[in-house]
Amino acid sequence: MAERSSTLVTASPGACLQRQRHRQWLSGCDGATFEALVERYGAALAQLPARPARVLLLEPRPYRFLAALLAAVAADCHVFLGNPCWGQRERAQVGRWVQPDLTLGALPLAPRTGGEPRPAIAARAARVAIPTGGSSGALRFALHSWETLMAAAAGFARYWGGVPAHTLDVLPLYHVSGLMPFLRALVTGGQFAAMPFKALTPQRRAAIAPEGQFLSLVPLQLQRLLEAGAGTWLARFRAVLLGGAPASAELLAAARAQRIPLAPSYGMTETAAQVAALAPAAFGAGCNSSGGALPHARITVRDGSGAVLPPGRTGTIAIRASSLYLGYYGESGSPPDPFLSDDRGYLDAAGRLHWVGRRSQTILTGGESVAPEEVEAALLETGLVSEACVVGLPDPVWGQAVAAAYIPRSPQVTTERLRAAIARGLSACKRPKTWLALERLPRTDRGKRDRTRIAQLLERGRS
C-alpha cells in the first residue's frame, strides 16, 4: 500500500490519463474526447511565448475546465483557477493582479499591460493557484504544486483502503473541495461525474446509482437534501464527506437517524482539502468529531505562545502535511512550520479533531469564506453610506449569515438601493442577508467599532 501511495504522489498528469485509457471513467464525456481536449489545450499553450506562462482558467464547462488544467500542468504553466461567476469587483482585481498570458473562458478581463509588473512566482515548474478567502479583505491564491495535490490524493487513498475513488462531484471545480474529488478519481482509477448541486433534482437523483461512490457536501447542501427527502438516497453512498464549516449537532443527528454514512472532515485550500476525516462507522456510533489525521498529515492544537495543548484544551489548529501549500501568490515567504490555521478546535483523548470555529472575523457561510472588509469596502464604494460594519450571524441553515449595519448618507438610501448597488460587484455569497440602518455605529472605549454590540443589534433586528 505504501509503494502504491508513493506511485500516486509522483504520477504526472499524462501518466494518470494513461492509466485511465480505455476506461469509460467520465460520466457525460467519452475518455478519448477528454484526452483530445487535453491535447488541444496543450497545443495552444505551447504557442505562448512566455515561459512559464500564466493561464487564468474561467471555463464554466466542467470537462473543458479539467482538461485545460491538466494540459497547463503538463506544460509547466502557472494556472490560476477562477470562478466564472465572479462579480465585476473580483474580475477587475484578478485582471490587474494576475495579468494572464492566456485566459480560458468567456469572462472579460482587463488586458495585460506591459507597464505593470506582475508579482513573481519563483518556481519554473507548474503551480496551481487556488482561490481562497482571507481575513485581509482581498482575494488570495494559495500556490500548490502538482506534487502537493498528489500527496493529498494519496493520503485520501490510503485512509480509505486504496480502492478506486468513484466520485459524484457537486462542488465548484475552482474550489479545492471540488477539484480534489476529480484528482482522487483520476489517480486511483475511479469513475467521475460532475454536475452542479442545483441539478440534483429528484428525477436526476433517481437516475444515479450511488453505491460505492464518494460525495462531498457542505452542511448547507446536506440540509437541503434532507429537507428534499433524499436521506434514503444519501444512505446508499459509500461515504458522504462533510466539510467546509462546522455542522450543527441537529444536522448531524438528522443524518445519523437516516443511517447516512457521513464522514465529517476537516481541511482547507492551503492543505489541498482533507487532512482529517471521521470514518462513517464511528459517526454512526455517535461520534461528532472531524476524525483523526489522514496518513499524510499531523495535527496539533496550540496556545497563543505556540505550545502544544493537551487533549480537551481548545486552541489554534496547527497542521504539518505533505500536501501543504507553498505560499500565497504575491506574498513573500513560505508557510510557517507548523501551519497555523484560522480555526479553533481541540483533540480528544483518541486524537480526533473537534472543530469549534474561526479565530478571525472571517465569515463561513454555506461553505464559502467571506472577508467582512471586502463587503464593507464594496458598500463604501457605492457612495450611499458613510460607514458600514459587516459581521456573521449564527444561522441554522447557512452556518453563518452575512449581515451589515450601515449609516446612510441621506434618508433616500434604502436597503433595496444598497442591494442593487453591490449586486454586480460582489458574488452572491458575499451579499448581506440582514441589513440595519443606524445613526451611528457602536464603538468600544478605544474608538473601534464594537462588532459584538453591532452583531447583537443585527440579531435583534432580524428576530
Side-chain angles (χ1 to χ4, degrees):
M1 183 64 204
E3 181 179 347
R4 183 168 188 269
S5 177
S6 175
T7 302
L8 294 182
V9 173
T10 58
S12 67
C16 293
L17 283 175
Q18 180 68 30
R19 285 202 295 265
Q20 291 281 35
R21 186 165 289 169
H22 308 307
R23 298 176 182 170
Q24 188 55 40
W25 68 288
L26 297 172
S27 176
C29 181
D30 178 74
T33 300
F34 184 75
E35 284 195 51
L37 280 173
V38 175
E39 292 177 3
R40 190 195 319 172
Y41 281 122
L45 294 170
Q47 302 302 313
L48 296 175
R51 287 290 183 272
R54 297 189 187 187
V55 178
L56 181 59
L57 187 48
L58 293 161
E59 173 58 61
R61 292 165 290 187
Y63 292 121
R64 288 181 179 271
F65 179 101
L66 295 168
L69 169 67
L70 295 182
V73 172
D76 279 334
C77 296
H78 300 322
V79 55
F80 291 75
L81 309 188
N83 178 0
C85 298
W86 270 335
Q88 289 180 341
R89 180 185 179 85
E90 294 135 321
R91 294 202 302 264
Q93 179 188 348
V94 171
R96 290 191 302 267
W97 196 26
V98 174
Q99 298 181 45
D101 300 295
L102 177 66
T103 298
L104 297 175
L107 199 64
L109 285 171
R112 181 182 173 191
T113 59
E116 299 179 17
R118 302 186 295 188
I121 300 177
R124 299 293 298 175
R127 292 292 181 259
V128 180
I130 307 176
T132 180
S135 58
S136 64
L139 179 72
R140 302 171 97 181
F141 285 97
L143 296 175
H144 278 277
S145 66
W146 181 253
E147 289 73 23
T148 61
L149 299 177
M150 290 297 97
F156 180 93
R158 286 181 61 192
Y159 180 82
W160 291 98
V163 299
H166 304 308
T167 298
L168 173 62
D169 193 355
V170 298
L171 297 173
L173 295 173
Y174 59 86
H175 276 193
V176 73
S177 57
L179 173 65
M180 289 309 303
F182 167 74
L183 295 180
R184 296 167 192 153
L186 173 67
V187 303
T188 63
Q191 296 176 339
F192 179 81
M195 66 180 65
F197 177 75
K198 291 181 179 179
L200 282 181
T201 61
Q203 296 77 14
R204 195 72 176 269
R205 293 198 302 269
I208 297 173
E211 285 77 11
Q213 293 196 59
F214 292 95
L215 172 68
S216 294
L217 299 173
V218 299
L220 173 62
Q221 294 171 327
L222 175 60
Q223 178 156 335
R224 292 281 192 252
L225 287 171
L226 292 179
E227 291 171 349
T232 301
W233 180 73
L234 289 171
R236 294 163 56 195
F237 278 87
R238 178 178 182 189
V240 176
L241 312 172
L242 187 69
S248 69
E250 293 78 10
L251 179 60
L252 296 176
R256 188 176 291 116
Q258 299 198 45
R259 300 185 181 278
I260 295 171
L262 208 65
S265 60
Y266 177 78
M268 63 203 71
T269 306
E270 288 83 352
T271 61
Q274 287 185 11
V275 286
L278 182 69
F283 171 76
C287 183
N288 280 356
S289 77
S290 297
L294 268 59
H296 66 289
R298 180 169 178 259
I299 297 173
T300 55
V301 175
R302 312 254 171 164
D303 65 14
S305 67
V308 176
L309 293 173
R313 292 277 303 278
T314 298
T316 299
I317 299 173
I319 302 159
R320 286 191 171 106
S322 53
S323 64
L324 197 63
Y325 76 123
L326 305 174
Y328 293 113
Y329 174 65
E331 300 180 27
S332 60
S334 301
D337 183 23
F339 171 68
L340 300 178
S341 74
D342 196 28
D343 299 313
R344 290 176 57 79
Y346 66 91
L347 296 172
D348 62 24
R352 294 173 299 211
L353 178 66
H354 295 254
W355 183 11
V356 174
R358 288 288 198 183
R359 289 193 298 145
S360 73
Q361 297 166 356
T362 303
I363 301 166
L364 274 177
T365 179
E368 299 277 0
S369 294
V370 176
E373 297 88 345
E374 181 181 6
V375 184
E376 291 166 359
L379 289 169
L380 292 173
E381 287 174 6
T382 67
L384 299 174
V385 303
S386 58
E387 278 194 86
C389 182
V390 173
V391 299
L393 299 181
D395 189 280
V397 174
W398 297 90
Q400 286 182 296
V402 181
Y406 63 93
I407 301 176
R409 287 192 178 275
S410 74
Q412 287 71 43
V413 175
T414 63
T415 296
E416 289 69 27
R417 285 187 65 187
L418 282 172
R419 282 198 182 102
I422 66 171
R424 296 188 64 187
L426 287 178
S427 303
C429 68
K430 300 176 182 179
R431 301 171 201 159
K433 292 180 170 60
T434 298
W435 299 79
L436 181 64
L438 296 171
E439 292 184 0
R440 64 180 182 83
L441 298 183
R443 296 189 177 275
T444 67
D445 55 4
R446 295 188 178 183
K448 295 183 178 180
R449 290 173 301 176
D450 189 339
R451 289 183 176 272
T452 301
R453 178 61 179 151
I454 292 170
Q456 292 171 346
L457 292 173
L458 282 160
E459 186 68 58
R460 188 183 306 162
R462 74 172 181 174
S463 60

